[in-house]
Amino acid sequence: MKASEGTTKNIFFVSWISLHQTHTVHQTQVSQLQPLHSHSGWDFLRPLRNWLDNLKVGDRQFAHRVCRLIPPQCPFERDVKLFGKVLFHIPPMCKLNPLYEEVVGLRFRALCYLADECGEDISQYC
């Protein structure tokens, strides 16, 4: 297929057919997806993960505080340059945080609360 023939309609159709065929062929091998942080044995961070996941954002000041404290992107990702050339790239260290998903989820809930419930402009936090 040429690049000019790859319209959105064709790509969607091809993707749908391949996913549909994969589902019917491997119907007996389909299993439920497990969370990324599930480990065998006891997860000692489970109580903290549950607490962060169940933390309700119901106060405007709390939501603003969460949005200010949790950055929208990892602050540690950097390109180290010398004379305009990239010497090396420091990858985002945030994803090494075992509570990354829960903290990002809390920030998202706070942003949604401010936008939906309070009707505030959240562009300052993006």
Side-chain angles (χ1 to χ4, degrees):
M1 177 191 308
K2 294 180 184 176
S4 62
E5 295 174 0
T7 63
T8 306
K9 184 177 177 182
N10 290 341
I11 292 171
F12 175 75
F13 184 69
V14 170
S15 299
W16 181 81
I17 288 178
S18 80
L19 287 175
H20 182 67
Q21 288 173 349
T22 304
H23 177 67
T24 57
V25 171
H26 301 292
Q27 198 169 24
T28 59
Q29 298 175 0
V30 174
S31 63
Q32 185 178 3
L33 294 176
Q34 298 296 323
L36 292 174
H37 47 71
S38 68
H39 303 287
S40 60
W42 191 71
D43 184 13
F44 67 93
L45 291 175
R46 173 67 56 203
L48 189 55
R49 282 193 177 108
N50 289 339
W51 180 76
L52 283 171
D53 281 339
N54 295 325
L55 194 60
K56 302 292 181 206
V57 179
D59 180 28
R60 179 177 287 179
Q61 290 178 340
F62 177 69
H64 278 290
R65 193 174 308 124
V66 166
C67 292
R68 275 194 307 269
L69 292 176
I70 302 172
Q73 60 189 15
C74 188
F76 302 112
E77 184 176 20
R78 299 277 187 264
D79 283 331
V80 179
K81 297 180 180 182
L82 183 64
F83 302 117
K85 293 194 176 219
V86 177
L87 294 178
F88 57 92
H89 176 76
I90 300 173
M93 300 293 177
C94 297
K95 295 195 178 175
L96 297 176
N97 180 358
L99 300 172
Y100 176 77
E101 296 294 327
E102 289 77 15
V103 170
V104 169
L106 177 63
R107 184 177 195 279
F108 180 73
R109 289 193 308 272
L111 286 171
C112 288
Y113 176 79
L114 288 173
D116 297 339
E117 302 295 324
C118 301
E120 293 190 19
D121 180 29
I122 58 169
S123 61
Q124 64 185 354
Y125 297 120
C126 297

